């Protein structure tokens, strides 16, 4: 994925990969992102604001969709 990726595309890619893992019977617990991707989704989340109510927000301090966020500036987005 290129540097011109939109935050929505990053979020969608993480969700897509997580769903594929779950459908394959795997239990992913980590997502690898570059620092620039991480900053971009944090910025986007700040713009949108947090979700209120009983449903947990997709982005927490150290997780997205319940996956631990790991930073690797030499990696593509990868759910493991």
């Amino acid at each position: 994925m290129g540097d011109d990726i939109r935050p929505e595309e990053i979020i969608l890619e993480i969700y897509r990969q997580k769903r594929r893992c779950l459908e394959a019977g795997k239990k992913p617990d980590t997502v690898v992102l570059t620092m620039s991707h991480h900053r971009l989704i944090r910025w986007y989340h700040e713009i949108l604001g947090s979700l209120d109510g009983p449903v947990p927000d997709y982005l927490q301090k150290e997780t997205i969709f319940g996956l631990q966020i790991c930073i690797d500036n030499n990696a593509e987005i990868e759910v493991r």
Side-chain angles (χ1 to χ4, degrees):
M1 300 200 141
D3 288 338
D4 57 345
I5 189 169
R6 295 171 40 124
E8 302 96 318
E9 293 172 305
I10 298 168
I11 295 164
L12 181 62
E13 179 62 17
I14 294 167
Y15 188 75
R16 183 189 67 76
Q17 286 187 31
K18 180 180 178 179
R19 292 282 311 194
R20 280 203 175 152
C21 286
L22 293 172
E23 289 169 359
K26 300 175 186 173
K27 295 184 181 181
D29 61 3
T30 305
V31 61
V32 179
L33 303 171
T34 65
M35 183 56 79
S36 63
H37 288 161
H38 184 247
R39 286 183 182 135
L40 191 57
I41 60 175
R42 289 270 176 219
W43 168 82
Y44 183 71
H45 185 261
E46 286 181 27
I47 299 275
L48 294 178
S50 297
L51 291 175
D52 292 328
V55 177
D57 203 349
Y58 69 95
L59 186 63
Q60 301 295 318
K61 184 175 181 170
E62 297 179 6
T63 63
I64 183 166
F65 298 120
L67 302 167
Q68 185 72 35
I69 298 170
C70 295
I71 303 299
D72 182 346
N73 288 324
N74 296 315
E76 294 290 323
I77 299 167
E78 181 185 0
V79 171
R80 301 178 184 166

